Structures are given as structure tokens and as C-alpha cells.
Amino acid sequence: MAGKRQVAVTARIVWGLVIVFLLITIISQLFIHYNNPIRTEPAMTYNSEEYIQTTGVYIRNEKYVNYNGAGIISYVYSDGEKLAKNAVVAQVYASQTDLALQLKIDELNKQIEVLRDAEKLIGSDNSQLEAFSNQIYECHTKIIQNVIDGEYGEAAGQKNDYLNLQSKRQIVNGTTSDYKDKISQLSGEISSLKAQVSSAPHDLTLTDTGYFVTSADGYETVLNYDVIPTLTEDRLEEIIKNPELTVASNVIGKVISDYKWKMVCTVPKDNSMNIYENATLKVRIGSDVNPVRAYVENIRELESGKCMLVLSFDVFNERYIMNRTAQIKILFDETSGIRIPSAAIHFDEKGEKGVFIKIGVNVHFRRIEVIRTEGDYTLVRDTTEKDGFLSLYDSVIVEGTELYDGKIIQQ
């Protein structure tokens, strides 16, 4: 009897475990069915690039600008401005106090110019009032954005523009009839400041014609067009690691002789098959959004398996004269399309490649035309106008199970 009871107890335990297992299975299947997690991403436009990334070394024909005297130097021009021979590039003040006084005088003179410009609108009707209000709002917005971005110099530069617009609006709307009293006050302040200057500054003139830059990095006398044929890969690496050398204390800037300049870089030989002498390339320099055109002057194969490129440019601006090296991208192909996660790609019963999209509570399969796969994402053609294909802004399902065309998603 004891044996029969033990068998009966064991059977009940087994059946109990079976029932528990079945309940767990049923509950889990119901949970999966009614709580199937769906995550989507919108199909958005994306620009894809094929490029070689490397570091380039700027090479220009440059000369130092020297000054061996004493005093405080104040530059007259901004970096990169073209100056004629004997142009005044800087003024030398006897002391920092004299320079500070002169800067204050210059600022007050600018304010007077702003007010006199506003007085030209005396007698005008108020038809321009709305335009001035809009311009004031735009200028104010720019100043705030400059401050947020930490571009305090840009914000300060907007001050007189803002004052000019405010002054003009006051003239047009009749708040102010003229600025004679304010101009007289500012003129008095200028006279007082001039009386405090100990001595007039003396001018520093440029002996060469060219583009003036207020800084130097020490390579001006050792890197020029003549040394390009002798440059080695090791020398380039040395320059890239140490883009600044010691500069003599009497160097106050430099002059770049021409608006054209060159850049030397190395690229893997296998990646340079589409680069050849006399070709024109598109190159993106540093963080610039827009690429510039470069002419391939020379290609030299190196023992390391790389190629040394000599690129020539004729685009001149401040961004390309202040540094000795820059990260560059040599662009080969720019393609626009729709970027989707590669994990979202499936095949239908016909073996056609596509993605599932969600429209309301319905799941639909949409075919795609693949351009290229880049890591975890795939670039596909914009097939918005084609029936049965992926369209821009479709909600692509990137997470979900048991997906099929026509499935209804439980809400």
C-alpha cells in the first residue's frame, strides 16, 4: 500500500509540474502576442561620402616681419588681408596705457559714425519702421547666440550694428529728433582722452607685398615650395607631431607672398588608385562643411607602401593661414539617399530585400534598393515615388518579432 501511495504522490507531482509548465508557456505566449515590443525610426535623408582621411601640412612662400624696437604693438589689419608695399601693418605705442586710451578713442569715434549715419534718416517717414524692428530682432538674436556659443569677439563686433539700428529706429519713429547733444558729449570725451596720451604712436610699414598674418610658427624659413621635392615621410610626421617651433622674440608676424598655397600629405597606395597627376579633387579641410578644389601637382610612391601627394589650392581665407597642419578628407563620391539600420532589413517570401514599416496598427513590407552598407547602417535609394518601396519619413520597424506583411499590432 505504501508503494502505491508513493507512486500516486509522484504522479501528482509530475502532473503538477506539467500543468505549471503549460501555464507558463501559455502565459508567456499570450504576453508575447499582446505585448510584442515594436520600435520604429523614421526614414530620413542622409548624405554618404567615400573619402580618404589624412593629415596635410600647409606649405607657403612666407617671410617674417620683424621689429627690434621697444613699445606696445597694435595691429592695424586683420589676419589674411592683402597689403601693398609700404602699407602700415602696426602701430607702436609707448605704453599699455596709451594703447588702451587709443582703443577707447577709436570706439567712441565709431559710435559717433553710427549716430551720424542714423541722422541721415531725419525727415523720413515711418515706412521703414517694421524693417528696422525685424533687423534689430535678428541682430539681438545673433548676439545672444554668439554668447551662448562662447564667441564673445563676434558678439562684441555686433554691438555697433545693434546701436546703429536702434538709433535709426528712434529717428524714424520720432522718439529722437537728432543726436547732436550725444555727438557733442562723445567728442568731448575723445578730446579728454587724447590729452592723456603721452605720445603719438609710430608706424611699422611692410617692405613686401602680400597677405599679412599676425602670428608665426617657426616653419616660415624652412618650409617653402623649393623644399617639397626633398620632403620625406619621416619629415612630414615630425612636422605633424610638432606643428610649432620656437620663434625669435623680434618676429611680429609674417607675409604670405601669394593667395595660392600647397599642402603635402600621405595616403595609402591602395586607396589612391583614383588619384593621378593633374587631377582635380574635392577636399574638405578641418571642420569646413563645404569642400574646396585641389589640383594634384605630384604623386610620389614611398617605400612604406604609401603615396605622397602634393596638392595645390587657390582658395585663400583666414582658416587656411593660421595653422601648419589640418585634418583633411579627400572626397571621391557623395551620394544622397535614405539611411536605415542594417538590422531592420528582411527578405519577403520572394527573396526580395526590404523593411517592415508601421502605418497605424498595420505592418507592411516595403522593398528597398541598397546603395551601400556602412557599419550598422545601410544607405538606400530614395524610392518615395515607387509603389511598394520605402518612402521618405516611413516609420521603419527596427525592433519587433514575428513580423509579416499585413500583421495587425495589438494596441
Side-chain angles (χ1 to χ4, degrees), residues 315-358:
V315 179
F316 194 91
N317 60 48
E318 183 181 348
R319 295 188 300 278
Y320 305 149
I321 62 176
M322 300 306 294
N323 300 308
R324 183 56 61 180
T325 65
Q327 288 287 319
I328 66 170
K329 290 181 178 179
I330 301 174
L331 308 177
F332 294 108
D333 183 32
E334 293 182 275
T335 307
S336 296
I338 297 174
R339 193 174 77 155
I340 59 174
S342 299
I345 297 175
H346 300 270
F347 292 88
D348 64 7
E349 64 278 1
K350 299 177 182 178
E352 295 174 319
K353 187 178 291 187
V355 295
F356 289 103
I357 66 169
K358 179 177 177 289

Side-chain angles (χ1 to χ4, degrees), residues 41-210:
E41 288 185 12
M44 303 296 292
T45 300
Y46 184 78
N47 293 324
S48 175
E49 298 174 338
E50 288 186 0
Y51 59 84
I52 298 174
Q53 183 165 315
T54 185
T55 302
V57 174
Y58 291 102
I59 298 183
R60 322 172 187 94
N61 281 335
E62 304 165 313
K63 289 184 179 180
Y64 286 136
V65 177
N66 300 309
Y67 172 66
N68 296 309
I72 307 300
I73 295 175
S74 176
Y75 294 102
V76 176
Y77 296 96
S78 300
D79 286 313
E81 290 196 52
K82 186 174 183 180
L83 304 182
K85 188 175 182 178
N86 298 322
V88 176
V89 296
Q91 293 182 313
V92 182
Y93 291 84
S95 66
Q96 190 68 48
T97 300
D98 282 354
L99 174 57
L101 288 169
Q102 186 59 52
L103 291 176
K104 182 62 177 176
I105 291 170
D106 292 342
E107 177 59 29
L108 294 178
N109 277 322
K110 288 179 182 178
Q111 291 183 28
I112 290 175
E113 290 177 10
V114 165
L115 296 176
R116 284 177 174 164
D117 182 58
E119 283 189 326
K120 294 177 182 178
L121 294 177
I122 293 174
S124 301
D125 57 34
N126 60 3
S127 60
Q128 302 179 65
L129 193 58
E130 184 178 354
F132 283 132
S133 297
N134 291 336
Q135 292 175 51
I136 289 170
Y137 175 78
E138 291 176 4
C139 188
H140 185 259
T141 301
K142 287 180 181 178
I143 293 173
I144 293 175
Q145 189 60 53
N146 288 148
V147 173
I148 292 173
D149 295 339
E151 297 173 348
Y152 303 113
E154 292 289 335
Q158 299 272 352
K159 184 182 71 172
N160 283 328
D161 292 338
Y162 187 75
L163 175 62
N164 181 260
L165 292 169
Q166 288 280 20
S167 302
K168 287 180 176 179
R169 185 171 69 171
Q170 289 178 351
I171 290 289
V172 171
N173 68 15
T175 304
T176 301
S177 58
D178 60 57
Y179 292 107
K180 291 180 180 178
D181 291 342
K182 182 62 177 177
I183 291 174
S184 177
Q185 175 194 333
L186 293 174
S187 298
E189 291 181 29
I190 290 173
S191 298
S192 176
L193 291 171
K194 285 182 175 180
Q196 300 176 48
V197 177
S198 63
S199 61
H202 68 271
D203 297 335
L204 296 180
T205 57
L206 193 67
T207 58
D208 297 289
T209 300

Side-chain angles (χ1 to χ4, degrees), residues 359-370:
I359 302 178
V361 297
N362 297 304
V363 174
H364 297 281
F365 185 82
R366 293 290 185 265
R367 283 178 286 167
I368 57 174
E369 296 179 358
V370 175

Side-chain angles (χ1 to χ4, degrees), residues 20-31:
V20 170
F21 175 76
L22 290 173
L23 286 173
I24 291 173
T25 301
I26 293 170
I27 292 171
S28 64
Q29 290 299 316
L30 289 173
F31 180 83

Side-chain angles (χ1 to χ4, degrees), residues 210-228:
Y211 299 85
F212 180 69
V213 183
T214 58
S215 61
D217 57 33
Y219 284 102
E220 286 77 9
T221 58
V222 295
L223 275 184
N224 53 50
Y225 296 165
D226 294 335
V227 305
I228 290 178

